[in-house]
Amino acid sequence: MEKNQIETERPARRTAGSAGFLALGALALIIALAAGIGQIARGMLLATEEDIDPIIAGSSEDDIPALMRGNRQKVTTSMVYRDEEPVQKPPRMCEMPPDYFNAINSAERPEIGYTRRNGYVRPYTPRRGFLTEREMRAAKVAWHYFEKFTQPDTGLANSVGNFPSTTLWDTASYISGMVAAYELCLIEKTEFDDRIFRLLTTVKGLKLFRKELPNKVYHTKTGAQVDYTNKPGEIGFSALDIGRFLVWMRILKNRYPYLGNTIDSVLLKWDYSNVIDPQGLLVGAYVDSETNETKYAQEGRLGYEEYAAKGFALWGFRPLLAHRAEPFLTASIFGVQVPYDGRDPRIFHSQNYVVTESYLLDGLELDFDLPHDDSSGDQVHSDGWRAEFADRIYRVQEARYRNTGFLTARSEHNVKGPPYFTYDTIFSDGYPWNTVTPRGDYSPDHAAIASKAAMGLWSLWDTPYTQQLFDAVIELYNPENGIYEGLYERGQGKIEIYTANNNGIILAALLHKVQGKILTPHTGGLEVWYTAFRDQDARERKNLPDPPLREDWLPALRHTVQTEADF
């Protein structure tokens, strides 16, 4: 759905509580600011919660000043549900005691189905345990991709082999691989820090698309804006790519608080005015080829849209409609009701591909949880419908194998030579198991077992079928270049191409086996992200959020589960 112009009028900024008079700490701050204290002193005053006493008194009609809102803690489940403790960050694999998984594997399983808070307990369990020798070899090979194809000057990793181009999506996949490599003890902190600081420094210095958000594509050797052919060009921004990048910025910040200020300084340079519309839909930008004007259009379909929405919500934004499954329909395939986006491609000019990857990312990185959830265990998924839909995505692929003999792990993937990329779908354009090019041409010869899909399913669903998928792809690699993209269904052999996305997701799948949910709770205290520019108009101008309260949480929704008749 194209918009000629995005609505620029935003809802009034959120306020909370009341103030008849301020406590002495806040009063001292306002007097000091009025007297024109220097920027350094001001930063010291904003540094800790104790410097500004948030206790206020007065009429309920009064507003809390913006400076005090910025020093308010964001509210998470562990704060609201007092009987739940925040989840602890797990140790690196080489630091785990030999009996680390005894308690995890012997824990009592909750009752399967929806919970009273609309969470969901799946009938399947993920694989958990130390990596075997075979799995560790796969992790080392996947990491070799980034050792070989990361540019030393910029710290950016090539999206595809030697081609020096990348997107924010693929940069997030590189970060995924980097975190996994460190936590699986493939690299040590010195190398991790060198890589991540070099990367963040480059990302902070990237030229933004028309002073808003990162361009869709950048040259990895120079950091310059390019188009998809890697020629100089300013072509727009992708809300989905940005959402995935925000997921990994939050993972980095929560796991490694010492990176917090650096990460905040990157994200505070961006202008979020147009990326979420007033209804909470994600919006991308592109350049009109005739007028050279910036055009904005709703971005995302069922699967990727909700995943990217969580990335924004992890930083306090409220993409309410983007997070909802509606409008969705289902297609009965081998008796499984497969959900797909209900928006008609003929009207909205965007395809509703059903693939595995978006559900895998949600499961591996976020455990099918809501962004404010910092306390539920691995077996309870607070974003209940996402977990239930993911089970359908898994179940229909196993059903295809049982009925046809084709091992199935479908996702979009690169191919060598034209068309260079295919959407290898579970369902699209009204057809199951439809493999199409970006132009929409039917391309059945490019149907494949995607390596990242096979490994992700193996990690999240501990079943005999996913072990077969693992065995099918685990030897598809070049020792120096990484793991191949996949294995063609029709007997043409392996897809002889290497990508950052494939190898990054595979490393995440292996990390998930060891540590479970990759996102860990924030332990760094107050965040510059929520306090910066409080004495300026930049927060309003850039649409920067306040720390979210309970009423700002994305809702926990429930959708009808399958009945026995569906099978």
Side-chain angles (χ1 to χ4, degrees):
M1 180 171 59
E2 182 178 330
K3 300 180 182 178
N4 289 331
Q5 185 169 348
I6 192 76
E7 290 185 52
T8 57
E9 186 176 321
R10 296 192 295 276
R13 298 283 298 174
R14 187 176 63 253
T15 59
S18 59
F21 63 88
L22 300 175
L24 290 177
L27 181 60
L29 173 65
I30 291 175
I31 292 172
L33 291 177
I37 63 174
Q39 189 67 29
I40 295 177
R42 184 178 305 152
M44 292 173 62
L45 283 167
L46 297 179
T48 63
E49 188 174 14
E50 289 75 14
D51 289 327
I52 300 175
D53 187 348
I55 301 173
I56 57 173
S59 165
S60 61
E61 305 300 319
D62 294 333
D63 293 339
I64 298 178
L67 285 166
M68 295 186 66
R69 292 203 305 275
N71 283 266
R72 182 181 69 201
Q73 274 193 312
K74 60 184 179 183
V75 176
T76 61
T77 53
S78 63
M79 298 172 64
V80 173
Y81 310 131
R82 299 295 183 179
D83 58 332
E84 297 185 5
E85 295 293 328
V87 175
Q88 298 299 308
K89 177 186 176 296
R92 298 172 70 208
M93 188 174 71
C94 51
E95 297 169 357
M96 290 176 172
D99 62 349
Y100 180 81
F101 291 97
N102 290 355
I104 294 173
N105 293 329
S106 62
E108 184 178 350
R109 278 181 53 76
E111 184 178 350
I112 293 170
Y114 279 97
T115 70
R116 61 188 179 88
R117 292 179 183 145
N118 287 345
Y120 189 72
V121 179
R122 297 162 50 222
Y124 305 93
T125 58
R127 278 185 167 78
R128 294 301 306 276
F130 294 108
L131 296 188
T132 66
E133 182 179 348
R134 196 180 188 198
E135 293 156 12
M136 197 66 182
R137 184 181 67 218
K140 291 177 180 178
V141 169
W143 178 242
H144 283 327
Y145 175 88
F146 299 106
E147 290 182 317
K148 182 166 185 176
F149 298 115
T150 300
Q151 301 294 342
D153 293 336
T154 62
L156 295 169
N158 297 350
S159 292
V160 181
N162 286 309
F163 190 60
S165 177
T166 194
T167 66
L168 275 195
W169 185 280
D170 296 310
T171 300
S173 292
Y174 169 37
I175 297 170
S176 171
M178 197 189 317
V179 169
Y182 175 66
E183 296 293 336
L184 295 175
C185 306
L186 301 179
I187 61 175
E188 294 305 319
K189 190 173 184 297
T190 302
E191 181 176 352
F192 176 81
D193 285 350
D194 179 68
R195 284 177 173 272
I196 196 61
F197 280 118
R198 188 170 306 188
L199 175 65
L200 292 175
T201 299
T202 293
V203 174
K204 183 177 179 179
L206 292 176
K207 182 182 178 183
L208 303 177
F209 171 75
R210 298 186 175 178
K211 300 183 178 180
E212 288 191 59
L213 292 162
N215 195 50
K216 290 180 179 179
V217 195
Y218 288 92
H219 198 292
T220 55
K221 289 186 177 179
T222 64
Q225 293 180 330
V226 292
D227 60 19
Y228 287 113
T229 65
N230 224 28
K231 296 178 181 178
E234 192 174 39
I235 59 175
F237 63 77
S238 167
L240 299 185
D241 289 11
I242 292 166
R244 173 154 168 71
F245 186 79
L246 290 176
V247 169
W248 276 96
M249 287 296 97
R250 178 52 70 181
I251 289 172
L252 278 178
K253 186 173 180 179
N254 288 10
R255 279 178 168 261
Y256 316 112
Y258 68 94
L259 297 177
N261 286 356
T262 302
I263 291 169
D264 287 343
S265 70
V266 172
L267 302 184
L268 285 167
K269 290 191 67 176
W270 300 356
D271 186 335
Y272 304 86
S273 300
N274 295 321
V275 73
I276 301 176
D277 78 1
Q279 288 74 46
L281 290 170
L282 300 184
V283 176
Y286 66 97
V287 177
D288 187 285
S289 58
E290 295 182 358
T291 66
N292 202 39
E293 294 178 349
T294 303
K295 297 280 188 172
Y296 298 97
Q298 184 275 331
E299 189 175 343
R301 290 295 180 265
L302 182 65
Y304 285 110
E305 183 180 17
E306 296 77 19
Y307 167 71
K310 289 185 185 181
F312 285 94
L314 284 168
W315 292 89
F317 296 101
R318 297 198 74 210
L320 290 176
L321 287 187
H323 176 255
R324 297 180 67 90
E326 291 86 1
F328 77 94
L329 301 170
T330 60
S332 183
I333 306 173
F334 294 121
V336 180
Q337 303 306 309
V338 176
Y340 67 95
D341 199 288
R343 286 166 281 198
D344 190 333
R346 296 172 298 179
I347 298 173
F348 294 100
H349 308 295
S350 185
Q351 294 298 321
N352 46 19
Y353 307 117
V354 179
V355 293
T356 308
E357 182 172 328
S358 59
Y359 293 96
L360 292 184
L361 298 178
D362 202 329
L364 297 172
E365 299 164 7
L366 308 175
D367 197 44
F368 306 115
D369 283 336
L370 291 164
H372 55 268
D373 180 5
D374 66 342
S375 59
S376 69
D378 280 354
Q379 298 184 58
V380 179
H381 311 287
S382 54
D383 201 8
W385 72 266
R386 287 284 286 176
E388 197 261 311
F389 278 16
D391 277 347
R392 301 189 197 186
I393 296 300
Y394 162 73
R395 196 154 50 229
V396 73
Q397 295 185 85
E398 181 177 5
R400 180 177 184 247
Y401 169 67
R402 302 298 176 200
N403 282 271
T404 69
F406 283 101
L407 278 173
T408 305
R410 289 271 177 132
S411 204
E412 74 280 17
H413 56 79
N414 290 72
V415 294
K416 193 170 185 178
Y420 302 105
F421 189 86
T422 58
Y423 292 99
D424 199 13
T425 74
I426 295 167
F427 181 84
S428 66
D429 298 330
Y431 295 96
W433 319 114
N434 193 12
T435 304
V436 294
T437 70
R439 294 195 316 173
D441 299 327
Y442 183 45
S443 185
D445 286 344
H446 290 119
I449 305 168
S451 296
K452 60 187 174 182
M455 292 295 291
L457 291 170
W458 169 84
S459 183
L460 289 168
W461 283 268
D462 186 357
T463 68
Y465 174 64
T466 61
Q467 185 61 47
Q468 288 182 272
L469 290 175
F470 174 90
D471 291 336
V473 303
I474 196 61
E475 307 297 339
L476 298 177
Y477 65 85
N478 178 298
E480 300 302 321
N481 295 343
I483 296 177
Y484 288 112
E485 196 78 349
L487 184 68
Y488 284 116
E489 272 190 4
R490 300 193 173 193
Q492 309 98 303
K494 56 184 174 288
I495 305 174
E496 295 185 358
I497 196 166
Y498 317 94
T499 67
N501 196 43
N502 182 55
N503 285 278
I505 291 175
I506 287 171
L507 279 162
L510 293 166
L511 176 61
H512 186 275
K513 184 195 174 188
V514 176
Q515 292 190 343
K517 179 180 178 178
I518 297 175
L519 176 69
T520 57
H522 179 65
T523 58
L526 293 175
E527 303 181 52
V528 175
W529 168 253
Y530 290 119
T531 61
F533 308 130
R534 286 288 171 185
D535 56 341
Q536 305 171 29
D537 66 354
R539 293 198 72 85
E540 292 286 343
R541 181 166 43 81
K542 294 186 174 187
N543 197 29
L544 296 173
D546 286 330
L549 299 176
R550 185 177 185 179
E551 56 264 29
D552 303 316
W553 290 358
L554 295 182
L557 303 174
R558 179 187 301 203
H559 294 292
T560 304
V561 296
Q562 289 179 282
T563 64
E564 292 182 6
D566 293 326
F567 291 92

